[in-house]
Amino acid sequence: MIQFRQIVSWFLALVVIPILLIFLIEGISSFIVIGHDLSVFSEPAAAEHKHTQYDSDLGWVNIPNTFVKNMYGPGIDLKINSQGFRNNHDFTEEVPPGKTRIICSGDSFTLGYGVGNEDTWCTTLEQFDKQFETVNMGQGGYGLDQMYLWYKRDGGKLKHQFHLVAFILDDLERMRTSEMGGYEKPRLFIKDNELVVEHMEALKKTARANLFFKRNLNLISKLRSFELFNQLGLKLKENNKEEIHSAKNQDLINLTIKIFESLKKLNEEKQSTLVVVYLPRLADCRSHYLDEFLTALGTQLKEKGIFFMNLTNSFRNYPAY
């Protein structure tokens, strides 16, 4: 009996304990190396965090009267006016005499991620005609639902003649979820043929913990324990996105059409014309995967009396670089 205990003790001392020490050292080293690069809450996870704040209706909005010098590089600044729009000046409720006011709704493409205020596509419209006055209501990370809700709440306060809603494929996909980048956002549903808003609560500590995990998922995945869980079949991953395809996502298409119908009605009340614009990404120009979907969407919008511009073919006529 004593001999057996001695054997076990020697086995623990010579084999088990050294192995455990190796695992311990490896684990601590992994945490130290990865922990050095982990994002902390005081550091923005995305550029938009430098000029946005929480909003109980929309999820996040621009901080009024914000100026971020060298936002996107030397000499590429960002300015938000007192009304929360990316413009260098404020707007009166009435359209100035001799002007045609255009409100531009969209995501980061419209906000002008990477360029200065003067170089956003919305502002450059003013270069085509001196009579144009453009209001930039673009916001990074917005889905079509948030564009609609923001225009309905704040854009409608300004009189205007045209409303351009520019969207990309991701803006439709974002309507599926109640969060974006770890932050909660509202969702829209169709109930009794009407748009219904599902509001969200203010961020809680659990939501911030979820934000930390999402920000650092790539780094956390390098942990050996994370890899072990994956090998054991205990997958830790982000929510999968379904691909948008006209035949498989009729509910999403119906919601998209309903939002544009509602926007058309809101614009008509303001004596404004709604124009829907699809902005293609580089992948869209190289592939014809979405052509059928966009053609079908355009046909349905035309039947509703809504102007639709699909810029994909126009972009295909230009070199990629």
Side-chain angles (χ1 to χ4, degrees), residues 93-130:
E93 178 182 347
E94 298 291 333
V95 179
K99 290 290 185 178
T100 298
R101 180 178 287 166
I102 304 171
I103 290 183
C104 309
S105 292
D107 55 15
S108 57
F109 278 51
T110 300
L111 173 74
Y113 185 96
V115 301
N117 278 36
E118 297 78 11
D119 296 319
T120 68
W121 70 258
C122 183
T123 299
T124 55
L125 288 177
E126 297 179 350
Q127 300 175 9
F128 289 93
D129 194 320
K130 294 182 179 180

Side-chain angles (χ1 to χ4, degrees), residues 51 61-66 78-92 101 103-105 111 117 134-139 150-151 153-158:
H51 60 86
V61 292
N62 289 321
I63 302 173
N65 296 314
T66 296
L78 176 141
K79 178 177 173 56
I80 305 298
N81 69 10
S82 67
Q83 295 158 304
F85 310 138
R86 191 182 181 186
N87 291 97
N88 293 327
H89 59 86
D90 292 341
F91 299 93
T92 58
R101 180 178 287 166
I103 290 183
C104 309
S105 292
L111 173 74
N117 278 36
T134 58
V135 182
N136 190 334
M137 292 190 70
Q139 184 57 264
W150 190 19
Y151 171 80
R153 189 186 73 178
D154 297 337
K157 297 176 182 178
L158 301 177

Side-chain angles (χ1 to χ4, degrees), residues 68-78 86 112 114-117 119:
V68 184
K69 187 175 180 59
N70 301 325
M71 174 71 181
Y72 301 112
I76 308 177
D77 308 326
L78 176 141
R86 191 182 181 186
V115 301
N117 278 36
D119 296 319

Side-chain angles (χ1 to χ4, degrees), residues 294-308:
L294 293 171
T295 299
L297 179 62
T299 299
Q300 294 184 61
L301 291 177
K302 184 177 180 180
E303 292 174 352
K304 303 291 184 181
I306 300 172
F307 293 100
F308 177 62

Side-chain angles (χ1 to χ4, degrees), residues 265-284:
K265 183 177 179 181
L266 290 172
N267 275 273
E268 288 175 343
E269 293 172 355
K270 293 289 181 179
Q271 297 183 328
S272 170
T273 300
L274 172 67
V275 179
V276 178
V277 182
Y278 181 75
L279 296 179
R281 301 163 301 177
L282 183 59
D284 300 334

Side-chain angles (χ1 to χ4, degrees), residues 85-222:
F85 310 138
R86 191 182 181 186
N87 291 97
N88 293 327
H89 59 86
D90 292 341
F91 299 93
T92 58
E93 178 182 347
E94 298 291 333
V95 179
K99 290 290 185 178
T100 298
R101 180 178 287 166
I102 304 171
I103 290 183
C104 309
S105 292
D107 55 15
S108 57
F109 278 51
T110 300
L111 173 74
Y113 185 96
V115 301
N117 278 36
E118 297 78 11
D119 296 319
T120 68
W121 70 258
C122 183
T123 299
T124 55
L125 288 177
E126 297 179 350
Q127 300 175 9
F128 289 93
D129 194 320
K130 294 182 179 180
Q131 291 185 346
F132 289 167
E133 181 187 64
T134 58
V135 182
N136 190 334
M137 292 190 70
Q139 184 57 264
Y142 263 21
L144 181 60
D145 45 4
Q146 291 165 292
M147 299 176 202
Y148 163 77
L149 292 172
W150 190 19
Y151 171 80
K152 184 178 180 182
R153 189 186 73 178
D154 297 337
K157 297 176 182 178
L158 301 177
K159 291 185 178 180
H160 51 283
Q161 287 92 339
F162 291 94
H163 181 201
L164 301 186
V165 180
F167 73 99
I168 63 174
L169 183 64
D170 287 348
D171 301 338
L172 306 187
E173 183 66 54
R174 289 166 184 164
M175 293 196 293
R176 296 182 186 277
T177 68
S178 57
E179 66 87 24
M180 177 68 182
Y183 287 99
E184 295 179 343
K185 60 175 286 293
R187 291 186 64 189
L188 288 177
F189 296 93
I190 299 178
K191 184 177 181 181
D192 298 328
N193 202 34
E194 297 291 337
L195 287 174
V196 178
V197 184
E198 179 188 66
H199 291 286
M200 69 285 182
E201 298 178 355
L203 284 174
K204 301 181 178 63
K205 291 182 179 180
T206 53
R208 291 183 67 81
N210 181 49
L211 169 62
F212 177 81
F213 180 81
K214 285 180 175 292
R215 283 185 184 179
N216 300 286
L217 182 61
N218 289 335
L219 287 171
I220 294 173
S221 64
K222 296 178 182 178

